């Protein structure tokens, strides 16, 4: 079960999407590198779902931080930033397990 040409193209497209997010300053370079590092372990049929799941979990995390910011002040939350490694790792864990 090796990579096909289509799988390589899909993986490159996902890399371009992730690096574009970094280029637009939507998230950090470390987040892009972490998400890209998990790509070889995720089956090609789950690549776009992997990105979607990161976005959904990241949105949930942002809502939690927004709620938290109402109590401690948004300035403090903005200084810390959002730890996007959590949604990336949870998404990767789920889709690597689904790929087995």
């Amino acid at each position: 079960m090796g990579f096909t040409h289509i799988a390589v193209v899909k993986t490159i497209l996902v890399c371009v999407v992730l690096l574009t997010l970094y280029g637009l300053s939507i998230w950090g370079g470390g987040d892009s590198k972490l998400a890209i590092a998990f790509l070889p372990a995720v089956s090609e049929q789950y690549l776009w779902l992997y990105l979607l799941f990161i976005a959904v979990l990241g949105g949930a995390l942002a809502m939690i931080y927004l709620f938290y910011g109402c109590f401690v002040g948004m300035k403090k939350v903005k200084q810390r930033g959002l730890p996007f490694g959590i949604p990336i790792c949870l998404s990767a864990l789920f889709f690597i397990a689904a790929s087995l």
Side-chain angles (χ1 to χ4, degrees), residues 46-85:
Y46 298 122
L47 287 178
W48 295 110
L49 289 174
Y50 169 63
L51 287 181
L52 180 65
F53 207 63
I54 290 173
V56 169
L57 290 177
L61 181 66
M63 294 302 291
I64 291 169
Y65 263 60
L66 184 61
F67 184 70
Y68 175 70
C70 291
F71 292 106
V72 299
M74 289 306 292
K75 187 175 182 178
K76 193 174 197 181
V77 172
K78 285 182 182 180
Q79 287 175 342
R80 286 187 67 182
L82 250 88
F84 242 86

Side-chain angles (χ1 to χ4, degrees), residues 16-32:
V16 168
V17 168
L18 293 171
L19 292 174
T20 301
L21 291 174
Y22 167 65
L24 296 173
S25 298
I26 294 174
W27 65 354
D31 298 328
S32 295

